[in-house]
Amino acid sequence: MNASADNPATAGHDLIIIGAGVVGLASAYAAARRGRSVLLVDRNAGPALGTSFANGAQLSYAYTDAMAGPATWGQLPEMAFGRNGPFRTRWSADPGFMRWGLAFLRQANGGGLHKNTLATLELALESRSAMQALLQRHPIDFEHVVSGKLHLYPTLEGTQGAAAMIALKRTYGVQQRLVDAAEAVAIEPALSGAPWLAGAVYSPEEEAGDPYRFSQGLLDVLQRQYNVQADFDFDTQSLQRKQGQWQLQARDGRQAQAPQVLVCAGIDSAALLRPLRVRVPLMAIKGYSFTAPLGANAPQVSITDTKRKLVFCRLGDRIRVAGLADLNDWNPAPEPARLAQLVAMARASLPEAADYDHIESSWAGLRPVTPWSSPIIRDLGDGLGCNIGHGMLGWTLAMGSGERAITQLLGTP
């Protein structure tokens, strides 16, 4: 049930979680499963209406490669000055923008790439286990499938470069292998319409599912079977510690309090924490997606086109296509020109994957990215914690990061 302004949920909770996206909901489940009473607050009218709403839908447990690595230096001109490709940067004199950029470049080396990729991989594998445990207990319907994934490369050099990352992850039990173009087409016949394909990385255990439907289903479970309440349209204006309690003030005057608070507010988290002298290096990287009916030759396997930085993910009788990365763009409203560009790139990649003339919906979201591409999951003291900065992998990492965050905050497994 939703608390209203006339009947605010102000007391009686062990924990308040700020943010009811997929990360906040996963964290609420981790806390409620441990017997805690939880209040979820979110500035939107319902769950998962921000970055969790229509992202790429792939559960990429094996593909956790960090953004920054040796190849970043060759990509810098496109990232910094490109206007018509997958990357775009809004330049700013803001010191926070410059600090984040320099911190990102400090990670752009082989050691940083390996360290950050493996740190995220460990969390991803925890997340897969946590998702499996959740679904065994609560079989939520969100078009979940083990579809496998193909990372497509337009050159043989690209596939050879991926070999080192496959070897790096193999010790963690990750199932990936290099395939040539012919084997990729045998795995996914829809790729017969991609003459530009030179080879691919095949990850047979990768999964997919609709994050919005998952979030709706998980919230229903939390409200019906656990001690969890949700208060939507609660736009948190301030967060203060008073008399052993954390007190939240919403912009409309509503209040809520609890002895513990976990911030899971995505890109808005930095502004919430700054007055408490907690600074977190988050950068908004705006991404886009559209959802359309299946085309005449739609893939069953999830596809990532590394040339155009696109993902194709089948969701029942629809297909989700996501891509683009607009660095330092903090406006969540979709730009029609960028959406048109995304559609054009998808047509060029897999012309029969979707019914591009009958797109059902389109979306843009602000992905909160750290310089090292792994989330910040931290106990900040005095009953305050954060679970933020999941970047492009929030859907993938949500269940594992929820478990980690609550274990840290409560001090108990």
Side-chain angles (χ1 to χ4, degrees):
M1 83 182 189
N2 295 350
S4 68
D6 297 326
N7 183 28
T10 59
H13 300 282
D14 300 317
L15 170 67
I16 297 174
I17 294 178
I18 304 175
V22 68
V23 171
L25 286 160
S27 301
Y29 176 70
R33 194 171 56 79
R34 290 164 170 82
R36 269 44 175 201
S37 62
V38 179
L39 174 64
L40 271 166
V41 299
D42 194 285
R43 63 184 174 86
N44 290 306
L49 292 177
T51 305
S52 300
F53 180 68
N55 59 39
Q58 296 181 350
L59 290 161
S60 297
Y61 298 122
Y63 194 81
T64 60
D65 297 20
M67 283 182 59
T72 299
W73 298 99
Q75 298 167 352
L76 272 181
E78 181 189 3
M79 293 176 67
F81 305 111
R83 302 301 298 170
N84 299 314
F87 296 108
R88 191 171 72 173
T89 298
R90 284 184 66 253
W91 285 92
S92 169
D94 176 58
F97 169 71
M98 301 305 295
R99 281 195 299 269
W100 189 93
L102 290 173
F104 175 76
L105 291 177
R106 283 196 291 271
Q107 304 295 320
N109 54 73
L113 175 63
H114 289 182
K115 176 184 175 182
N116 297 330
T117 296
L118 291 181
T120 308
L121 178 62
E122 289 182 6
L123 181 56
L125 298 179
E126 292 173 21
S127 197
R128 182 171 63 185
S129 296
M131 177 68 86
Q132 290 170 348
L134 165 68
L135 296 181
Q136 287 174 0
R137 183 176 295 185
H138 304 292
I140 298 168
D141 179 12
F142 59 103
E143 295 178 323
H144 177 231
V145 293
V146 180
S147 56
K149 180 158 71 170
L150 283 160
H151 258 75
L152 311 183
Y153 291 89
T155 65
L156 291 177
E157 290 79 10
T159 60
Q160 292 163 1
M165 299 306 290
I166 293 174
L168 182 70
K169 299 172 190 175
R170 188 170 292 132
T171 57
Y172 288 76
V174 173
Q175 300 297 311
Q176 287 183 311
R177 72 176 193 269
L178 291 176
V179 298
D180 60 19
E183 187 175 357
V185 172
I187 293 168
E188 177 47 75
L191 296 180
S192 60
W196 52 269
L197 176 63
V201 173
Y202 180 44
S203 307
E205 297 180 336
E206 295 287 71
E207 304 175 22
D210 188 328
Y212 178 63
R213 284 184 56 176
F214 172 83
S215 298
Q216 288 183 308
L218 181 53
L219 179 61
D220 182 62
V221 167
L222 290 171
Q223 291 181 313
R224 286 190 298 104
Q225 301 186 38
Y226 295 89
N227 193 2
V228 176
Q229 288 181 279
D231 197 353
F232 294 112
D233 295 312
F234 190 107
D235 190 359
T236 303
Q237 183 176 30
S238 66
L239 174 62
Q240 294 180 310
R241 182 76 170 173
K242 292 182 180 179
Q243 299 178 340
Q245 296 278 311
W246 285 101
Q247 297 189 359
L248 278 68
Q249 178 84 31
R251 296 187 189 279
D252 63 5
R254 280 181 289 171
Q255 297 181 344
Q257 66 178 28
Q260 294 183 308
V261 166
L262 183 65
V263 177
C264 303
I267 202 63
D268 297 325
S269 302
L272 277 174
L273 292 169
R274 194 174 298 121
L276 302 173
R277 298 184 179 179
V278 176
R279 296 194 177 273
V280 289
L282 295 183
M283 175 57 62
I285 299 186
K286 186 174 179 178
Y288 287 78
S289 79
F290 65 86
T291 306
L294 299 177
N297 196 16
Q300 293 281 353
V301 175
S302 289
I303 301 295
T304 295
D305 176 347
T306 64
K307 177 182 179 180
R308 300 171 181 85
K309 305 298 188 292
L310 295 175
V311 300
F312 295 79
C313 187
R314 189 168 185 152
L315 295 171
D317 59 357
R318 302 167 299 142
I319 194 160
R320 172 79 43 81
V321 182
L324 307 182
D326 292 354
L327 183 71
N328 197 35
D329 186 341
W330 297 75
N331 181 357
E335 291 184 26
R338 284 295 263 174
L339 277 170
Q341 182 180 347
L342 178 64
V343 175
M345 291 167 64
R347 283 183 186 270
S349 177
L350 294 177
E352 295 187 318
D355 183 352
Y356 296 108
D357 294 324
H358 297 92
I359 291 172
E360 296 175 356
S361 61
S362 55
W363 165 92
L366 306 183
R367 299 169 292 199
V369 181
T370 65
W372 49 87
S373 300
S374 292
I376 302 169
I377 304 171
R378 191 178 302 164
D379 180 355
L380 301 170
D382 291 328
L384 178 66
C386 65
N387 185 7
I388 57 180
H390 297 73
M392 289 70 166
L393 292 175
W395 175 214
T396 297
L397 301 177
M399 291 302 300
S401 64
E403 292 293 326
R404 275 198 193 181
I406 293 303
T407 296
Q408 287 186 8
L409 190 61
L410 301 184
T412 179

